[in-house]
Amino acid sequence: MPKSQHNWASKGGALDKLAQKGPIGELPRDCQLVGVGASKSTIRKRPKKKFICQKLMLALIDIAKDEGNLSWEKKYRNALYCSDQMITGNGRGHCKYCKHRFCTICVSICKADRINRLFPVLVEWPEPQFVTLTIKAKKHWDLKTHVKAVLEAFGTILKRKRKKATRKSGLPYIGIRALEANFNPIAKTYNPHFHLIMYNAEMARDIRKDWIKYWDDEKIAAPYLQQASRIKDLNHHLKETMKYGTKIFTDPTMNKGKSKNSSFMVYIAAMHEINKAFDGSRLFSTFGFKQPTTGVRIDSGPNVTDAQYWQYESSICDYVNIQTGQKLTHWAPNCEMIDLLTQKMDVESK
Ligand SMILES: [Zn+2]
């Protein structure tokens, strides 16, 4: 590699120079980038994601600080600076990412990547079914224990089915599962639950039965709450399943999607409880088949000759070209969004 070229993700690379804010002349137009980079349409949406992420992380840092929780404060601070700088070249944008699952930027990249990989597989399934498996909602002090319990329950059900399939030479369960928990601001409880896409109707019916049988208590796993239905729009349901983790915006009246978005709230203390409860657990997995890989080597990006360097400026909610001062997208949050992430942030309820 010629001396003027830089691998910006490596030590001493162009991004590190950018971070140091050294003399502009030191930033080369030609450099080697890492990974495939984000497309133009993704980049156009990035300032909005960055704006939401920063507001959430600043609030979460305060919650962790108040709790005296240094390790979570550090994690949130890491996500606060996620993709602060960007290099564009060849029509794509390259950043350094924090890779935390509670980071709105990283999680959306991960989800989009999974959807792209899984859709071609799932579309071949004979009659994919959407299944929801849940248990009784819990208070925050019980949440971690119950997250572990539902994961253990699901693992046991899969294991039993695999054993049975080996003995009778049938099929093990085939599907994908995503774990989610949302906060109920009225009851102040959390509902750990799975969204599944199962291979066919028989498997959906059986796994629902196994779930009810496993808990064997209507007060814990009420049969009417365990639902299975045929998928008509795979793309829609795959996106629904990929909303694992937790929601950012919650309807305080729990009016099942009937309220206007403008009345929603952000329950930030509850979000922190969910983040802690999920820490170390796998929120998404596939079973009965192998998840296809992307086939893209992330360590060998393109050589570009038109590199431009951008820094996110929170005061204007956009990336700014550090050489020309030009804005990247000219996006700006509307009043409703500013209100949601400031006035309508509840830092107490959990
Ligand atoms: Zn991130």
Side-chain angles (χ1 to χ4, degrees), residues 24-68:
I24 286 166
E26 282 182 27
L27 296 169
R29 292 301 300 269
D30 58 331
C31 61
Q32 187 184 25
L33 300 174
V34 170
V36 286
S39 69
K40 274 186 184 163
S41 69
T42 305
I43 291 306
R44 269 196 289 273
K45 292 177 209 152
R46 183 62 55 82
K48 182 180 175 183
K49 289 223 155 67
K50 188 81 189 130
F51 173 76
I52 296 173
C53 187
Q54 279 205 338
K55 292 282 180 208
L56 294 178
M57 292 312 133
L58 285 169
L60 285 163
I61 287 168
D62 285 345
I63 301 256
K65 257 190 198 168
D66 286 349
E67 207 179 71

Side-chain angles (χ1 to χ4, degrees), residues 18-308:
L18 183 59
Q20 291 159 15
K21 294 193 176 172
I24 286 166
E26 282 182 27
L27 296 169
R29 292 301 300 269
D30 58 331
C31 61
Q32 187 184 25
L33 300 174
V34 170
V36 286
S39 69
K40 274 186 184 163
S41 69
T42 305
I43 291 306
R44 269 196 289 273
K45 292 177 209 152
R46 183 62 55 82
K48 182 180 175 183
K49 289 223 155 67
K50 188 81 189 130
F51 173 76
I52 296 173
C53 187
Q54 279 205 338
K55 292 282 180 208
L56 294 178
M57 292 312 133
L58 285 169
L60 285 163
I61 287 168
D62 285 345
I63 301 256
K65 257 190 198 168
D66 286 349
E67 207 179 71
N69 196 331
L70 267 177
S71 99
W72 277 93
E73 188 190 328
K74 206 175 153 196
K75 289 182 201 184
Y76 292 140
R77 209 168 278 286
N78 224 327
L80 176 69
Y81 300 114
C82 177
S83 59
D84 245 6
Q85 291 143 0
M86 186 187 299
I87 301 180
T88 53
N90 264 2
R92 296 184 81 84
H94 299 253
C95 299
K96 262 187 186 173
Y97 297 104
C98 74
K99 296 187 178 166
H100 283 301
R101 58 162 59 142
F102 47 79
C103 166
T104 35
I105 300 161
C106 292
V107 87
S108 70
I109 295 171
C110 178
K111 287 176 184 183
D113 173 57
R114 285 202 170 123
I115 290 172
N116 288 339
R117 279 188 283 157
L118 288 167
F119 187 82
V121 178
L122 270 59
V123 82
E124 298 293 327
W125 289 1
E127 41 172 354
Q129 305 272 316
F130 187 66
V131 179
T132 304
L133 303 177
T134 187
I135 59 163
K136 192 177 184 288
K138 297 286 166 187
K139 293 286 185 183
H140 70 86
W141 53 82
D142 274 339
L143 187 58
K144 183 127 191 143
T145 316
H146 279 81
V147 165
K148 274 192 181 156
V150 293
L151 283 164
E152 199 181 308
F154 198 82
T156 305
I157 289 167
L158 289 189
K159 216 178 336 163
R160 283 179 191 159
K161 180 74 172 176
R162 262 200 306 272
K163 269 191 186 167
K164 215 164 141 186
T166 323
R167 278 201 311 270
K168 295 185 178 172
S169 67
L171 283 177
Y173 281 133
I174 301 168
I176 64 173
R177 72 129 179 91
L179 179 61
E180 190 181 313
N182 292 318
F183 177 59
N184 178 331
I186 298 168
K188 303 221 173 5
T189 55
Y190 303 77
N191 62 339
H193 60 282
F194 289 115
H195 288 306
L196 318 175
I197 294 183
M198 298 298 292
Y199 184 73
N200 61 21
E202 191 188 340
M203 286 191 192
R205 196 184 57 228
D206 289 353
I207 204 161
R208 184 184 167 273
K209 271 193 210 160
D210 284 352
W211 183 258
I212 296 166
K213 199 173 150 198
Y214 179 93
W215 296 100
D216 193 26
D217 186 341
E218 288 197 9
K219 284 185 194 143
I220 298 175
Y224 78 95
L225 288 175
Q226 323 307 324
Q227 289 167 355
S229 59
R230 187 165 180 192
I231 289 176
K232 285 180 192 139
D233 181 350
L234 179 64
N235 199 26
H236 166 77
H237 276 94
L238 191 52
K239 281 183 186 158
E240 277 298 301
T241 311
M242 288 300 166
K243 280 184 187 161
Y244 58 83
T246 188
K247 296 192 269 208
I248 297 173
F249 306 110
T250 304
D251 176 3
T253 64
M254 299 298 284
N255 203 9
K256 300 232 168 196
K258 285 171 200 149
S259 300
K260 279 187 184 164
N261 286 356
S262 57
S263 64
F264 279 33
M265 297 279 293
V266 178
Y267 293 97
I268 202 79
M271 198 181 283
H272 178 52
E273 293 303 315
I274 294 171
N275 290 341
K276 286 190 292 182
F278 279 166
D279 193 38
S281 297
R282 273 180 85 184
L283 301 189
F284 179 84
S285 75
T286 59
F287 45 92
F289 74 102
K290 222 176 158 199
Q291 192 178 178
T293 53
T294 49
V296 176
R297 276 172 61 88
I298 57 156
D299 56 346
S300 56
N303 280 303
V304 298
T305 53
D306 60 342
Q308 293 196 62

